[in-house]
Amino acid sequence: MSSNFTIKDNLIENRVFLHRIMAAVVFIMLLTAGLVVRLMYLQIVGHDHYASLAKDNRVKIMPLPPTRGMIYDRNGKVLAENVPSYSLEIIPEQTGNLDDTLAGLQKLLAFSDDQLEQFHKLRKRQKRFTSLPLLLNLTDDEIAKFAVARPFFPGVDIHQRMDRHYPYSELTSHVVGYVGRINESELKSLPAVEYQGSNLIGKIGIEGAYETQLHGKAGYAEMETNVQARPLNTLNEVSPISGDNLNLTLDIDLQKTAYDALEKYNGAVVAIEIKTGGILVFASRPGYDPNPFVLGISNDAYQALQKSDDQPLYNRALRGLYPPGSTIKPFVGLGGLEHDAIGANQKVYCPGYYQLPGVSHKYRDWKKTGHGSVNLSEAITQSCDVYFYRLALAMGIDNLQSFLKQFGFGIESGIDLVGEKAGLVPSPEWKHSRKSQGKQRSEPKAWFPGETVITGIGQGYLQVTPLQLAQATAILANRGKVITPHLVDKPDASQVARTIDLKSGNINQVIAGMVNVVNSQRGTAKGLRRSAKYQIAGKTGTAQVFNIKQGAKYNEHSVAFKLRDHALFVSFAPADDPKIAVAVIAEHGGHGGSVAAPIAEKVIRQYLEDEL
């Protein structure tokens, strides 16, 4: 019997064991060194970063939206304000059964399924402990109903908020504008910090143009929260800075007078304070109620506004384009004198029509029997078309265009609103550059003498806005001094931007004719009520809506209302010391003297009775 024995080598085993111990010690030392280095990094190098992260887990920044600035008229009357309203809000996690709560509330307050759907969309984007609005702008009756049933609806309560309100409704819709909910495209361009917590932004009018000033600066509150991000208490708070209040040059009482005076006619009235450029009236009729836009107008209501034949959303004062008709004649007459195309006392014979040499077509005068021999002042007073046909041709379209542009026609006025249209003063270059409406470019179009002829009486391609007519009249009354029209009253807003070099004698001749328009028995606005304290200088205008065939007779009563001529009137007063300039356009009003002029007279009389 034999057995195998392994003889241990203690020396080798001790050496192996010692190597393992040393390796373990080195490994432990490396791990310890790594831990020390990491601790040093966390405590020293990365302290600020990780302390901030830890604080963010414990402290949440809650935005505090600012109160929007108020808007006032020149006399301190409120045009846009912030009014308290009440909303019904729900904290879902406190309701027990949210579906049952919503069903009970809908039965109690009878809100629509659309409102319920909006709430569910909002709920999906928020945490269950967040207070979410279900109904906005509660009525007194709704508040009373819920107050009685409140014990049966845990997690539901009424909260106060501030909503924008426009007390003058349609009177200021086109000038003050409105605020509305911030849409996705606007959100991308807005400064995120300033608009956190804000739901509304100025869309149009003063609200849109002065959004930065009106909005203010957002504040914030540092809220201590638990691990579920539920607020526990406030650690620090920086109060928001309210938006600036804006004082407009607008006179809301004059605005109402002008708007009401338009009565059954759509149109616009613009009045400017001549020495300052401040807009006194900026009325566009019809207007609309801007208040539903604040919280979100229904689709049906918005579609009704868009599809209305009266186009209440269209700002006629700022964007309406009209042929100026005979209201352009004082400027054409002044241009003729300045360019030596005619003398002030030079007579032109008017037989009731004008013909270009060698052409059979007759350019008719509004007075079929003609005006006889008239000079410039008489031609303005009686609105003789033939005189201005001849004068426009004598000036030439290039001189006519450049002169009219000096008075602001065909260019934007620079008013502190967004969306102004520039109008059009035509020229051969403009016509040559026109493209056809189809895909193919049209051949360059020649400019014809007849197009110059009709430009001289404010017809043809010539298009102006009511704002441009008022500004040009103010420049004329101000004897060439150009002040940019403005709505917000600012210290530097009344400075003279430029001065047109005009001869005072020529201006006197034109103004004399405009005074006689109202005060002479042969004037086209002789029916205006006159004041013993001041004289009005003005010019009537009638703008054709459609062309009348050669030899045909226009009968106002035989055509549809929408095809009747527009009635226009421009004016300023007092004639010897001008303070206010007014432009009126009454769509399809027919006659400037009988329809548009009385509207301007009401505005002037009310303003000057307060001033004189």
Side-chain angles (χ1 to χ4, degrees), residues 382-460:
Q382 300 174 45
S383 198
C384 175
D385 293 329
V386 170
Y387 183 97
F388 292 97
Y389 288 149
R390 291 180 176 272
L391 180 54
L393 197 62
M395 282 185 67
I397 190 60
D398 291 331
N399 288 334
L400 187 56
Q401 183 215 32
S402 63
F403 189 79
L404 291 178
K405 281 197 168 185
Q406 291 187 72
F407 283 84
F409 295 112
I411 57 177
E412 294 179 8
S413 69
I415 191 175
D416 45 350
L417 290 177
V418 178
E420 178 185 5
K421 283 195 174 180
L424 173 64
V425 179
S427 67
E429 291 72 25
W430 165 81
K431 190 179 180 185
H432 292 169
S433 66
R434 290 181 67 198
K435 297 178 182 179
S436 65
Q437 297 299 316
K439 295 181 179 180
Q440 300 295 327
R441 289 190 178 186
S442 61
E443 293 295 324
K445 298 179 180 179
W447 182 268
F448 299 105
E451 293 170 321
T452 303
V453 168
I454 60 174
T455 301
I457 64 162
Q459 295 289 165

Side-chain angles (χ1 to χ4, degrees), residues 49-356:
H49 174 67
Y50 290 101
S52 176
L53 291 179
K55 183 178 180 181
D56 287 345
N57 287 332
R58 183 177 66 88
V59 178
K60 295 297 181 184
I61 305 299
M62 306 294 290
L64 300 176
T67 300
R68 194 170 182 85
M70 306 265 279
I71 301 176
Y72 301 92
D73 88 331
R74 68 191 291 114
N75 298 312
K77 295 184 178 181
V78 177
L79 305 181
E81 60 186 340
N82 305 305
V83 297
S85 68
Y86 295 90
S87 60
L88 188 71
E89 300 190 11
I90 301 176
I91 301 177
E93 74 169 8
Q94 296 181 3
T95 61
N97 188 313
L98 180 60
D99 291 335
D100 289 346
T101 297
L102 291 171
L105 288 172
Q106 190 170 27
K107 185 176 181 181
L108 176 68
L109 301 176
F111 53 85
S112 68
D113 290 337
D114 288 341
Q115 290 171 297
L116 187 60
E117 184 181 350
Q118 289 296 322
F119 172 79
H120 283 304
K121 287 181 180 179
L122 180 63
R123 179 178 61 84
K124 291 176 182 177
R125 300 196 298 264
Q126 303 292 337
K127 296 183 180 296
R128 285 182 53 80
F129 55 78
T130 303
S131 181
L132 305 176
L134 173 62
L135 300 177
L136 301 174
N137 201 23
L138 295 175
T139 65
D140 291 341
D141 185 54
E142 289 171 332
I143 293 172
K145 284 183 179 179
F146 177 77
V148 174
R150 182 175 179 180
F152 303 101
F153 294 99
V156 185
D157 209 346
I158 291 176
H159 294 263
Q160 187 185 66
R161 52 186 286 159
M162 300 299 287
D163 285 333
R164 201 65 159 173
H165 179 251
Y166 304 100
Y168 290 96
S169 188
E170 63 183 13
L171 278 182
T172 59
S173 56
H174 289 294
V175 55
V176 173
Y178 59 82
V179 297
R181 294 190 181 277
I182 299 172
N183 60 40
E184 190 172 340
S185 62
E186 291 167 338
L187 195 60
K188 293 178 181 178
S189 61
L190 292 172
V193 173
E194 292 300 333
Y195 280 84
Q196 284 186 357
S198 296
N199 297 318
L200 303 175
I201 187 174
K203 297 291 185 177
I204 62 171
I206 292 294
E207 291 278 30
Y210 286 86
E211 167 62 24
T212 303
Q213 294 90 323
L214 287 166
H215 178 263
K217 296 196 65 170
Y220 64 89
E222 295 181 356
M223 305 294 295
E224 186 177 17
T225 61
N226 60 17
V227 291
Q228 285 83 31
R230 184 177 290 114
L232 300 176
N233 59 74
T234 302
L235 299 177
N236 182 39
E237 183 175 307
V238 175
S239 299
I241 300 174
S242 299
D244 295 334
N245 295 331
L246 296 182
N247 295 293
L248 304 190
T249 60
L250 194 80
D251 186 322
I252 192 61
D253 294 327
L254 275 184
Q255 179 90 349
K256 186 177 188 308
T257 295
Y259 191 90
D260 291 346
L262 280 167
E263 295 183 311
K264 64 180 180 180
Y265 299 105
N266 296 339
V269 181
V270 179
I272 298 179
E273 196 171 47
I274 291 171
K275 302 299 181 185
T276 67
I279 300 290
L280 298 165
V281 174
F282 202 79
S284 176
R285 187 181 182 113
Y288 58 93
D289 183 3
N291 290 296
F293 286 84
V294 176
L295 298 178
I297 189 170
S298 70
N299 185 62
D300 289 344
Y302 185 66
Q303 289 298 320
L305 289 173
Q306 277 199 317
K307 294 177 180 179
S308 171
D309 291 338
D310 291 327
Q311 297 182 288
L313 297 176
Y314 188 52
N315 189 339
R316 289 165 165 83
L318 187 71
R319 298 174 56 79
L321 296 176
Y322 304 87
S326 294
T327 60
I328 204 71
K329 290 176 180 176
F331 305 98
V332 175
L334 182 58
L337 295 180
E338 292 290 321
H339 283 277
D340 295 321
I342 200 167
N345 295 315
Q346 183 178 340
K347 295 279 187 174
V348 171
Y349 181 70
C350 169
Y353 62 89
Y354 173 69
Q355 290 176 285
L356 289 166

Side-chain angles (χ1 to χ4, degrees), residues 531-547:
S531 170
K533 295 181 180 180
Y534 58 85
Q535 285 186 324
I536 296 175
K539 183 68 194 79
T540 57
T542 302
Q544 291 181 352
V545 175
F546 69 100
N547 291 326

Side-chain angles (χ1 to χ4, degrees), residues 268-270 323-328 466 469-470 473 514-519 523-528 536-543 566-573 581-586 591-602 604:
V269 181
V270 179
S326 294
T327 60
I328 204 71
L469 279 176
T473 305
M514 294 178 71
V515 169
N516 287 334
V517 166
V518 176
N519 297 279
T524 53
K526 63 183 179 181
L528 278 191
I536 296 175
K539 183 68 194 79
T540 57
T542 302
H566 297 324
L568 299 92
F569 188 67
V570 296
S571 56
F572 62 87
V582 183
V584 177
I585 292 181
H591 305 286
S594 59
V595 173
I599 297 173
E601 188 271 335
K602 289 180 180 179
I604 290 171

